Amino acid sequence: MIGKAEIGERRREFAARFGRGREPDLYFAPGRVNLIGDHTDYNGGLVLPLAIAEGTCVLIRRKGAPPARLYSANTGWETEFDPREIVPRGDWTDYVRGVFFFLARSQGLPPPFDAMYFGDLPLEAGLSSSASLEVATAISSSSLGFRVDGEEAARIAWRAENEFVGMSCGVMDQYAVSLSRAGHLMLLDCRTLQYDFVPFDLPGTSLVVGHTGVSRSLLDSPYNLRRRECERALGLITAVVGPREDLSQVTLEEFEAVARALPEVPRMRAEHVLRENLRVRLAAECLRGDDPQGVGLLLNESHASLRDLYEVSSPELDTLQEISLRQPGVLGCRMTGAGFGGCVISLIRDGSVREYLEKVPGLYRGVTGHDPLFIEASPSAGAKKLDKRTGSAPDTGHSATAR
Ligand code: GLA
């Protein structure tokens, strides 16, 4: 969590870099972790993510004349661009440029501005640092006169990532980052974009996220290949059962009737998607019915399916999952997000969290040689404007949005 002291320091840094004047406005967008429902979003399926306390802040202030200046305090990278001519450059600022590109299309060109980004999300760790950067930018645009509510911020951020950066991701990350509610998970239907909130109050349990120490960029991963494999599966299945918009509209009965005739890869991918949707539904029921053991079993099944049927796990994710499951009080554990590196999420009895955090890093390092990183994930609110002095926000339970 980004504290008051850091915000004060960053405000001084902003003034030193960009000059004194009106106090810049301050916005925050969290990262996200997905409890269950992976590789379902771009198949029109269900997901159950939560926003975490870690995220991205932006200090932003309108200025008189171009260029706009963007600065990342974490990396020290600074760049300029002319808001009248927004084109991709192939670096981190494309996530920001992409948002302004789509805002410019719908609401007109942005005025010149200075923006300084900082945060506490590990990059390329599978915690949605890119969606966090995009959504923080989208909501901060209200400081420049744009009108963007939480849903619009999620949509613009998703378009920036898909159509400007060129990463064909689903909608889960941008929706969770923008619209999550504190203390809840978001049950999102990625076809209809309808969502509901499921309280996270399983008695005596906590969620712990463990980063394998293996980073990955989705752009260089087989993510897009998996999407194409799902499209192929859909083509083969619908040739028999009739037209459907996406894999999630095929029922399990229909799938089982054709499964034997399918080639191995499309069969495995489709089976994962259909059963994962079912697990999301069941997990939401277990959460509502105070059944931590039920949630734990579903997490384990999801991991096995992502490893064996969808083939997006990695030796490090499997090792961390297996070590986690051997610890007392761990009810379930799975890889979370796209896979190929990144994080696992574990559901652990409160009384066992401390022991878990003491023992697991050494055990994991001993097997893999990688340094893991653990965070206790407390379901947090989505993106919001913060008080520029104190860094705090009245928690309305909804994502705050630009006005
Ligand atoms: C990444 C993508 C999401 C989703 C997950 C896998 O995080 O950005 O849209 O597809 O992978 O569930």
Side-chain angles (χ1 to χ4, degrees):
M1 178 127 61
I2 303 163
K4 201 173 157 182
E6 175 165 8
I7 288 172
E9 207 174 289
R10 298 302 185 193
R11 277 181 33 237
R12 285 189 288 281
E13 197 178 341
F14 184 99
R17 176 166 292 269
F18 295 128
R20 302 203 170 274
R22 195 174 59 81
E23 279 290 331
D25 287 331
L26 175 62
Y27 295 83
F28 171 77
R32 72 91 189 92
V33 62
N34 190 17
L35 181 66
I36 194 162
D38 273 313
H39 293 277
T40 46
D41 61 353
Y42 53 82
N43 286 302
L46 301 174
V47 294
L48 196 57
L50 56 134
I52 56 179
E54 293 72 17
T56 310
C57 276
V58 54
L59 283 164
I60 186 166
R61 183 176 68 194
R62 193 193 272 251
K63 70 201 260 272
R69 292 179 291 189
L70 305 175
Y71 173 62
S72 160
N74 290 90
T75 60
W77 294 327
E78 182 175 347
T79 190
E80 296 184 346
F81 77 102
D82 184 341
R84 290 164 302 191
E85 208 182 304
I86 307 175
V87 286
R89 266 179 42 140
D91 63 18
W92 72 278
T93 61
D94 284 354
Y95 297 102
V96 176
R97 289 165 202 267
V99 167
F100 282 108
F101 179 83
F102 288 107
L103 281 171
R105 269 201 185 173
S106 56
Q107 299 186 39
L109 291 176
F113 64 92
D114 290 324
M116 177 170 136
Y117 291 86
F118 57 98
D120 58 354
L121 261 186
L123 303 182
E124 299 189 341
L127 297 173
S128 282
S129 52
S130 54
S132 176
L133 177 56
E134 292 152 1
V135 171
T137 302
I139 66 160
S140 76
S141 72
S142 66
S143 180
L144 308 177
F146 289 97
R147 297 179 60 79
V148 183
D149 66 15
E151 293 197 6
E152 181 66 358
R155 273 193 296 270
I156 286 183
W158 179 81
R159 286 196 76 182
E161 178 118 15
N162 277 257
E163 297 171 40
F164 197 85
V165 175
M167 176 60 222
S168 313
C169 64
V171 295
M172 166 171 70
D173 303 348
Q174 289 78 12
Y175 268 71
V177 164
S178 186
L179 293 154
S180 282
R181 179 182 288 186
H184 292 73
L185 295 104
M186 172 188 258
L187 177 59
L188 172 67
D189 180 327
C190 300
R191 179 173 344 108
T192 61
L193 297 181
Q194 303 233 311
Y195 53 90
D196 195 6
F197 293 101
V198 181
F200 182 76
D201 51 12
L202 287 175
T205 59
S206 299
L207 293 171
V208 175
V209 178
H211 178 34
T212 53
V214 179
S215 298
R216 54 107 190 99
S217 154
L218 270 195
L219 280 164
D220 314 322
S221 77
Y223 185 91
N224 285 339
L225 173 65
R226 289 292 176 280
R227 292 196 67 147
R228 289 197 298 278
E229 290 167 348
C230 287
E231 280 158 25
R232 173 153 185 249
L234 180 64
L236 292 167
I237 296 171
T238 52
V240 183
V241 304
R244 301 287 189 285
E245 267 173 52
D246 50 56
L247 271 182
S248 301
Q249 281 190 323
V250 176
T251 65
L252 254 182
E253 293 68 38
E254 288 171 334
F255 167 74
E256 274 160 6
V258 299
R260 227 179 276 163
L262 294 175
E264 193 181 18
V265 168
R267 179 177 49 72
M268 295 194 313
R269 307 300 187 243
E271 179 167 358
H272 165 74
V273 171
L274 297 184
R275 294 197 189 281
E276 186 81 347
N277 282 333
L278 210 63
R279 283 189 284 270
V280 174
R281 236 182 251 295
L282 291 172
E285 276 171 28
C286 290
L287 285 165
R288 289 186 167 121
D290 286 346
D291 177 5
Q293 270 98 350
V295 176
L297 289 175
L298 291 162
L299 299 187
N300 298 344
E301 280 176 20
S302 171
H303 184 87
S305 180
L306 288 157
R307 181 190 61 210
D308 302 336
L309 295 177
Y310 217 73
E311 298 181 294
V312 290
S313 191
S314 68
E316 293 82 8
L317 285 165
D318 292 342
T319 301
L320 190 48
Q321 194 246 7
E322 284 157 22
I323 292 173
S324 297
L325 287 182
R326 288 205 297 271
Q327 306 312 308
V330 175
L331 299 166
C333 178
R334 65 183 280 275
M335 57 149 278
T336 173
F340 320 108
C343 297
V344 299
I345 183 166
S346 304
L347 181 69
I348 308 182
R349 292 217 185 276
D350 286 341
S352 300
V353 170
R354 182 197 280 223
E355 190 184 340
Y356 175 93
L357 294 175
E358 277 167 9
K359 273 174 61 189
V360 173
L363 292 171
Y364 173 77
R365 199 177 299 115
V367 179
T368 64
H370 290 287
D371 272 330
L373 172 81
F374 292 87
I375 55 174
E376 286 184 58
S378 52
S380 301
K384 57 198 167 189
K385 184 172 185 177
L386 300 180
D387 183 283
K388 43 186 153 184
R389 292 188 176 280
T390 63
S392 60
D395 201 338
T396 58
H398 284 282
S399 78
T401 50
R403 279 156 275 273

